Every structure is written in C-alpha cells, then in structure tokens.
Amino acid sequence: MTVSSGSPGWYLRRLSRMGPGEVGGRVGDAVRRRRWRSAPPRCPSVTGARFTAPLPAGTLTAVPPDAAKRLIAEADRLMDGHAEYFGVAREDMADPDWRYDPRTGRRAPWGHAFDVPYRNEEVVGDIKQIWELSRHQYLTQLAVAYALTGNERYAERVAEHLRSWWAANPPLRGVHWTSGIELGIRLLSWVWIRRLLDGWPGAAGLFEDNPVALNQIWHHQRWLAAFPSRGSSANNHIVAEAAGRFAAACAFAWFPSSARWRADALRSLERHLRSNTFASGLNRELATEYHGLVLELGWAAVAEADAAGVPLPESIRLVLLRMTDALAAVVDSRLRPPRQGDADDGHGLVVDGAGTDRWASLLATGGAVFGRLAWWPAVAGTDVRTPLLAALVQPYPKGGTAPAATRPKSRPAHFADAGLTILRGPGEIWCRCDGGPHGFLAIAAHAHADALSVEVRHDGVDVLADPGTYCYHGQPEWRQYFRSTLGHNTLQLDGGDQSVSGGPFLWTRHAHSRVLVADASGGGVARWCAEHDGYRHSVHRRRVELTAATQELRVVDEIRGPHGPHGPRRAVRLAFHLGPAITVDLVGNRAQLRWKRDGEDRSAVLDLPEQLSWQAHRGETDPSPSSSSRGYPILGWYSAGFGRKEPTTTLVGTGSAGGAVPSRELITVLGFRG
C-alpha cells in the first residue's frame, strides 16, 4: 500500500506514535507559530561584534597538496556554474534560483514558512533538491578555495551568493524556514565560511558589520530554540539543530541571548548524541549514512567549543570516540561501511572536493584526535577536513591519546545492542548480518523492512547487495520498493513486509528481532543465527555460516510456526539482490556470478534452495502479472546514492511453506572461487 504524508490518515497514524509529552510540545509549537504570525520576534541591535575564532596560524600548510588540488578543481567547477546534486546536473550555480527544483522544473511557492506544504512535490517540487543548495555547503568549498589560494574571486562569489540568499529568504518566509535540520546545517556552514574568509578584507562587512547577516543569524538561532524536533522525531535532526545552534552561539556570540542559547544547545547536544548512539558506538537509527552525519556534526560542534574555550561534558567526546571505533570496526577492506537503512547523502560539514572518501576522512580525523588502535584498518587517501578540524579540536584527553580502557582491544565483530554482526573470511569476504531493532524511536523514520537481511562483499565489491534508498518524497512507489522486505536479501511471507508502513517516514508496527548466535571469533567457521516475529503466527529464523577453508557462505532459512500436514500454507518469496558489477547466468537453481576487480576476473557460484522456483529480474518497472514478482511493479534496481538508480539483477525464488511440505529449511550456498 502506498501512503502519502500529509493526508488526514497519515496525521492520525503519526499522532498514534506520539507520547503525551510530545503531543503537548507540538501543541505549544502550534500556539507559538500562531503568535509569531501576528508578532514575529525582532532581532536586537548589535554593536561591537567581532569574530574571534579563526583558524590557528599554519593550519592551511598542513592540507595535503592532492586534497587541496581536488578542492580547488571543485571550486572552479562551481565558479563556472556547474554542480550535481542527487544525480541531477545544475548549470545555474553562478546565479542560482533558491526556490527552483531542477528535477521537476517546479519552483516552491512563496509565503509564510508555516504555510508552505513542503512535503507535496506537486506543489513545491523535490524538496531535497531545493534544500540541498541552501545548506550552503558548496559555499564552504568556495571559502576553502579562497583560504588556500588567496584568490579573492572565490570570496567575492561567496559574498554575492550569501547576500542573494539573505535577500530572497527573509526570516520566516519561504521553504527554507520550514525544517530545523536545514537551519542547523546552514548555521554550521556560515560559521565555517566566516572562519575561512577571515583573511579577506570584506569578511567583517559580510558578517558582523552587516545588519542583514546579523538578523539572519539571530533568527536562525531563535527559530531553532523555539521549534526543536521532539519525541518520536528526535533523531539525527535534533543533533543537527543542536550542533548548528551551539556552533553559532560559540562563534557568533554577539547577541544578548547567546550565552543562554549556547547552554541550552549544549544540553540538547549532549543528551541527543547519547540517545542517538548505542553503547557500542553504532547509531541507533541503524542507517549507516546517518552514523556518518551525526559523527560529522559532533566533530563540528566540538571544534567550535574548543575554539571558543567552552568546556564540554566528557560524555560528548566519549560518544564520538565510540562512534569512531565502531566505524573502524564495521568497514570492509576498501573502507566501505554497511549499506543499511536510509541514506540521503547528507553531510554535516563539506570542505573537500569530489573524489575524497568520506569514511576514510572520518577515520583520519578520529585518528588525529583519539589516536589509532592497532586493529584499525589502514586509511589511504587524503582530505582537507582532517587538518582543519584537528587544528581546532583538542586531543582526547588533553595532550594525549584516549585511555585504552575505554576502547576495544581487538576488532569487534558483533554489536549486540545494534544486532549487527560482521563475518569476515579469506579473499576479503565481508558479510553483514542484521538481527537488530527496527530503527529508532516510535516511528523508526529511516528504517527499512530488512530484518535478517545479509549483505555480502568480496574485496569491497557488492555481491549480495543492499539496494539502497534512492528517494524520500514525491515518488511513493520507489520509496516503498527500496525499503520493502522484497527489496532486501531476506525472506518474505504472503506478499507483505515484516513491518507495517504508515507513510514514507513512519512505521506503525515493528518486527522484533533477536540474535541467537553470533560467533565470529575464528576457528575456521564463523556463525550467526537470528529470528524475527514480523509475520503473523510464524517466526522467520535464519542461520549463516562462513567457512574459511572453502570460502563458502551458507544461509539457512526456516519458517517456524503452526505448520505440520494440517497447518496453513504460506506463500514464500526469497530474494537475493546482486551488486551492479555482477553478471549472472541462472540455470534452474544455480547462478554463476562473475565480475571484475582491478582488472582481474572474479567469480562465485550461488546454489539456491531447490524447493523454490527461481527467476532473474533486472530493471523492471512493470513485471508481467504472471511473473514471480506479482504485486511488485518495481524489481531489480540498485541506488548508489540519493536520487540515482541503475538496473541490477535480483534473483527471486517463489514457493510455499507449511502444509505437507516435507522440509521447512531453505538452504542457499554462496561459494567463492580462488
């Protein structure tokens, strides 16, 4: 069932997932919005403002030449008017239209921010396309180019675009004042723009001596103080809101409310960094890209605190330490983390050019601040962000490396609280097994219906792939597919998802999983077993074994419930999604897989359960009604990044379980060849 957000039914379902405290807070927000309509808050007058948090002397000399070269090339493309966001090219970057969506060709309507229906693509356009440019992270790239080269044309373009944006988006008017995460990230960008332009003669006139800039900065912080994300929405959004508000209150401490805003934002940041993070260090949304986003936001906030001499609770650095070690633990041989849950290519701070590895950059920053552990993977490549942040962030603890007692002595493979297990084998075999909670908080906004799914790579190449996310708003059929059960490497019963969706960011019933066995300690065979209760009257149990000697991965699925000769028969679909680099030859229940890595031919054999009838699907948007994918008009797609998709091969086996079926075990064996 396709469910749109914003409909009366959606609001009722959304309300059902809120607690009394959240409902009360949202009622207060509504009252405040009404009051602001008739009497909007006014920015106080400011005199004598000064910026006191530039980069320490010599910081820019530590930027590696190749990283600087990539960044300057990116800045030059922007200066020429070219950029790409979510797979859509923009050629108007020299003079952008801040309300224009190049994907749909629509312009967001003008009016009071509280009246803009930003979830309605028919009216507004693709809101992600519109918002992304106004995070002003491309302006931080131009500001870095100025700082590295001293070429004032970069600084002048930044100033031109900021003045244009401020004029086109006065406080509380238009689509860019509708979402707190956008305001928070925009504040972070402005802080870094001011820092990076510090040597430019026009910097003070653009910011602290500019009444328009002061009005914008004040209103952004006032908005965030008044309308924080609440309750079931307090996920990565609240971290971004708190980090942006805190950073601005540290770097732009020019207003009577700055000290209060800073203290309030710090309390929120500390609380929500902890609540958004498992004790093991993994992000509670179980959406890997949001782990990266929250880590970046945390680094940015700590940098501002240390630059301003603001004491931080010890727990903030400890959370970032655990997050960094967890990231080092779960990446594959090419430093790629799991592709789990939603991913929208969101970043907290962008100061690098295209081609810079995000995850290597985060590990490099963590190594600079906390110190590398012996089991960490080697980090190749360079970046701009690490030397900039390392120049501001104090080592942990002050003057040294983090205490060994707080960190794993060997590489963790099982994260019990997150239900995530990594099995590793020879030939750089990497297998993620998912037996964790269905997302975070009552709505589990960024979760997928992927319980007991596996993700398998060989030397960093997706073999059994997690297809990704592709989109959020405006294309409900695609949104439904990419987060569906059939859209993952797991088993589906009776044509339904394990968890029940109530909208594009809302789940009204969650499957509950539990891990029964997780033994990745060695000894020749790594084992994992888990089960979930997402299907009425039945439990899906899955066992995975990775045998080092044979380079063989064995997956055993079992439907446990009231079967027997007189029990109900259940329609079964078992899906395996191959990565886009894999070619396949399916004969019966055997699939020959081939791909190339660094110019070398690689191969594997996938023996599929013989009780099921197998078909290969590739890039389908309207499969034949007689096909095994009946009821799913989309099948066989892979999204490498938000807004981008490409055909791939999905193998789907269909059959039934229960009744007089002699065996309820479905055995899949993936064997890699030397």
Side-chain angles (χ1 to χ4, degrees), residues 112-177:
H112 199 287
F114 302 148
D115 296 333
V116 177
Y118 66 89
R119 294 187 181 95
N120 189 335
E121 185 171 295
E122 295 299 317
V123 175
V124 174
D126 184 338
I127 193 61
K128 285 284 291 177
Q129 288 285 348
I130 297 172
W131 277 344
E132 189 68 17
L133 197 63
S134 289
R135 290 185 172 190
H136 290 169
Q137 293 176 326
Y138 78 98
L139 295 181
T140 61
Q141 294 173 308
L142 292 176
V144 175
Y146 164 76
L148 290 170
T149 66
N151 189 327
E152 293 192 1
R153 72 188 186 103
Y154 299 116
E156 290 164 356
R157 177 63 61 81
V158 171
E160 176 188 341
H161 281 205
L162 283 178
R163 290 190 174 105
S164 167
W165 194 93
W166 290 332
N169 297 278
L172 301 179
R173 305 295 292 180
V175 73
H176 297 300
W177 291 87

Side-chain angles (χ1 to χ4, degrees), residues 443-462:
I443 63 173
H446 292 297
H448 291 185
D450 58 355
L452 308 197
S453 64
V454 295
E455 182 184 4
V456 182
R457 300 178 192 157
H458 188 277
D459 197 15
V461 174
D462 291 316

